[in-house]
Amino acid sequence: SMVLFARDASSGVLLWKRTVAGISGRGLAADGTRVFTVLESQGPCVALSAATGEVVETYKGSEGGREIRHIDGVLLVKTTGKLMAFEAAGGHALWSRPLADKGDVFLAAEGRAILHSQKSGSLTALDLKSGAEVWNRTDVAWLKGAALSTCGEGAVFFIDSNVGTVKFGAMAYAVSWKDGADLWNRELLNGNIYFPAQTSALRAGLLYIRAAGGYQIFDPLTGQDKGKSPPFGGGSGGGKCTIET
């Protein structure tokens, strides 16, 4: 188990703390007034009052949830064998979709959930509220090796590390948010084997990808090079492992 702390954003004063299941940061989401997490191992996802830490909603059927995302009033929960969607306010189950593998991952933005399975080499866009399939792709080999990284600005982005024509090379791929069609791909240079170029983020209409010497910056729809950021400041044994937005 782990302990979840809530502090006043202005003063830092402790508001409350609760023991929660020992899950990663992907098992935590918030919407301003509520915090969504799992309190007990193999227990359901719950909503806590951000002010008091009290349970205000329990999402039945979400037992075993390991990854949680909240967007536009919808709570997405990945359990051992399926991806589920609930009304965040009220707890009503909206839809459920079986997963091809426990390693399947998902993102959500702009009214859709994006589900990627490396095992089956599939990429699927689902309507956020109904779960209806908007489009699906299984036609490219890189979907079995690349990692789903981020989405938005009209595209879905992947990074495939330790590939390409140079040592510690990587590839970035972008597909259309509208229909999943290929937009562009670019070869990248990793910093080293310990810090591969796996992290990307969107900010101010640009795509930032962590790579050798800092961030490489691209136009998200065309892949056009928009420059580089300053290099990372590294400490003993490393450098930065995260991206800030």
Side-chain angles (χ1 to χ4, degrees), residues 13-32:
V13 172
L14 179 67
L15 299 176
W16 52 266
K17 62 180 180 179
R18 290 203 64 145
T19 300
V20 298
I23 55 180
S24 70
R26 293 180 178 179
L28 187 68
D31 71 351

Side-chain angles (χ1 to χ4, degrees), residues 103-157:
D104 292 357
V105 295
F106 73 97
L107 295 173
E110 301 175 15
R112 292 182 185 175
I114 303 296
L115 180 62
H116 175 224
S117 174
Q118 285 186 326
K119 183 174 182 178
S120 65
S122 64
L123 178 64
T124 308
L126 306 171
D127 182 85
L128 185 63
K129 296 296 178 69
S130 70
E133 188 173 297
V134 180
W135 51 259
N136 174 265
R137 287 196 66 176
T138 58
D139 60 321
V140 287
W142 58 259
L143 282 172
K144 290 191 173 183
L148 179 63
S149 186
T150 192
C151 62
E153 298 293 340
V156 184
F157 304 95

